[in-house]
Amino acid sequence: MAEYSRLAKGRFVSTGAAQIINLPFQPDYVEFINYTASASGSDNGVPNAHWDANMGQGVAVIDRFQAANQLTTDTVDTLGISTFSAGQMLQFGTTFVVTDVSKASPASVTTSAPHGYKSGDVVILEGLFETSTTGMPQINGVPFTVTVTGATTFTIPWNTNQSNYTTISGAATGTPRVKQVLYPYLYFPGTAVISAITLGTTTIIDTTDAHNFVVGQEVAFRIPSQWGTTELNSLPNTLVPGSPVYGYVIAVTDYNTVVVNINSSAYTAFTSNQTVASVPGLSYAQIVAVGDVNTGGVQISSGSALYPPPYFSPIGTTRVNTINGPAIQGAFVNNTSQGFIIGAGTAEGDSSAILVGAAEDVIYWRAFLHDYSSP
């Protein structure tokens, strides 16, 4: 039967790391063709693979070249093809032991084994005690977007080259570790932890992971007193007493930097040099998206006559489109997702045969959700 079955297909260029494919359904069958491997016929190539839900998660049946243009069948038993459904709770990847965190800006992290991350992934660090009273527990639990610098190294956007931070080494008394947040942005733009603030006639905000803001986004600040710059917290409205004044994003510099239209020239300096003793109960400085429309609907096109885009006088020329017409863009759009993952596992008969292929391999995939499936 196929009346209610769901089908999808697509392509991607492999990076050599696991590939996430987002779909409007969770498939029960996946297959793919590695066009590059098929064309070359080189030893260790995996030209095609198949997965069925009845096989279990993280496996695959494959063809592989055992010599030039000579095919054989094999299986991938770990890190194969799997499905996911990112719902209301965060999900995490494998936990790796951290052997070193440097005092630097950005800080460099070293793991005891290859982490498999790619730049742009989000991770959480835990157990960052060098001794019971020193280390970097100030950044435990903070989501960081990583920049990968090696198989076992990456950097995080935080300045640990400050007096209250101590280098994490292999002799750490804690259990330093790191894990990837697999689907970090279940709702966006949402909130982001602030790593630095540059004061001036406009205010520059740096965040620890992707802020997902756009020009015209209305934002508020939640800054505990020990971080300084509390003057940004829901500024009082001199025109409408009792009503807070928020800021607006007037420029997006990069994935973790925005410029807000608040003159902070006379404000208290921001500091991330928190003490280890302050860690129990430590709350982090945050920039928070706010808005009038939080339906989670898809924004209309800018040319729509039915719901014209709103116009923000504080910015002057910036327009932001929302589903409900003239209003401030919503703060919590539902971004939950589902789909499947092609992992970087290797063939049982040849550890050089990688399921997801080598970097730059072109892969064509198809996914199915059948309306009837016998066990």
Side-chain angles (χ1 to χ4, degrees):
M1 297 177 66
E3 183 176 0
Y4 301 105
S5 295
R6 308 188 74 175
L7 316 174
K9 68 176 183 176
R11 68 181 291 277
F12 65 89
V13 178
S14 178
T15 64
Q19 179 72 31
I20 297 173
I21 305 294
N22 287 301
L23 296 172
F25 60 91
Q26 193 171 350
D28 59 14
Y29 180 82
V30 175
E31 63 185 20
F32 72 78
I33 297 172
N34 185 324
Y35 183 85
T36 307
S38 299
S40 69
S42 300
D43 190 15
N44 308 323
V46 179
N48 57 73
H50 305 266
W51 172 85
D52 187 279
N54 291 322
M55 295 161 54
Q57 296 289 319
V59 300
V61 174
I62 67 170
D63 289 334
R64 65 173 173 85
F65 289 109
Q66 60 181 347
N69 295 312
Q70 295 183 16
L71 277 177
T72 188
T73 57
D74 207 336
T75 61
V76 173
D77 292 346
T78 59
L79 301 178
I81 296 174
S82 57
T83 58
F84 69 91
S85 180
Q88 296 179 346
M89 298 181 65
L90 293 178
Q91 300 175 46
F92 302 97
T94 302
T95 297
F96 294 96
V97 172
V98 171
T99 58
D100 181 85
V101 182
S102 68
K103 289 192 63 167
S105 181
S108 179
V109 179
T110 303
T111 57
S112 61
H115 46 65
Y117 302 153
K118 61 181 183 296
S119 294
D121 286 344
V122 175
V123 303
I124 287 177
L125 294 153
E126 300 173 322
L128 299 181
F129 284 93
E130 181 68 11
T131 70
S132 60
T133 58
T134 64
M136 300 182 184
Q138 302 96 316
I139 57 175
N140 280 344
V142 174
F144 288 107
T145 296
V146 304
T147 299
V148 173
T149 55
T152 59
T153 58
F154 58 87
T155 62
I156 57 173
W158 193 272
N159 181 13
T160 57
N161 192 24
Q162 302 182 78
S163 60
N164 289 324
Y165 295 84
T166 303
T167 300
I168 298 295
S169 68
T173 58
T175 309
R177 54 197 182 274
V178 63
K179 58 186 178 182
Q180 182 183 356
V181 184
L182 297 178
Y183 321 107
Y185 307 114
L186 299 181
Y187 297 88
F188 73 92
T191 65
V193 174
I194 298 172
S195 59
I197 298 177
T198 303
L199 307 180
T201 54
T202 57
T203 303
I204 301 173
I205 308 296
D206 293 304
T207 60
T208 62
D209 65 342
H211 48 68
N212 296 313
F213 295 145
V214 296
V215 171
Q217 174 68 56
E218 188 179 35
V219 294
F221 295 89
R222 303 291 182 262
I223 303 178
S225 59
Q226 64 265 44
W227 298 87
T229 329
T230 55
E231 298 92 337
L232 287 173
N233 290 337
S234 298
L235 299 173
N237 190 330
T238 57
L239 299 178
V240 185
S243 176
V245 169
Y246 300 126
Y248 291 87
V249 173
I250 58 175
V252 176
T253 306
D254 55 34
Y255 78 93
N256 72 331
T257 306
V258 296
V259 182
V260 178
N261 70 328
I262 295 175
N263 186 343
S264 58
S265 301
Y267 291 177
T268 305
F270 182 84
T271 178
S272 58
N273 191 26
Q274 304 299 314
T275 65
V276 173
S278 72
V279 168
L282 180 64
S283 295
Y284 296 93
Q286 295 181 324
I287 181 171
V288 183
V290 296
D292 295 334
V293 180
N294 296 306
T295 63
V298 178
Q299 298 177 13
I300 60 172
S301 66
S302 59
S304 171
L306 182 61
Y307 295 119
Y311 179 76
F312 297 135
S313 58
I315 298 174
T317 58
T318 301
R319 296 177 183 271
V320 175
N321 309 328
T322 68
I323 190 173
N324 288 349
I328 298 169
Q329 186 175 18
F332 301 104
V333 176
N334 188 328
N335 191 45
T336 54
S337 60
Q338 53 190 333
F340 68 94
I341 302 171
I342 299 176
T346 59
E348 286 300 295
D350 184 351
S351 60
S352 298
I354 302 173
L355 179 65
V356 76
E360 305 302 325
D361 281 4
V362 177
I363 294 177
Y364 295 86
W365 56 265
R366 294 197 298 176
F368 305 81
L369 176 60
H370 299 86
D371 57 0
Y372 175 78
S373 177
S374 62

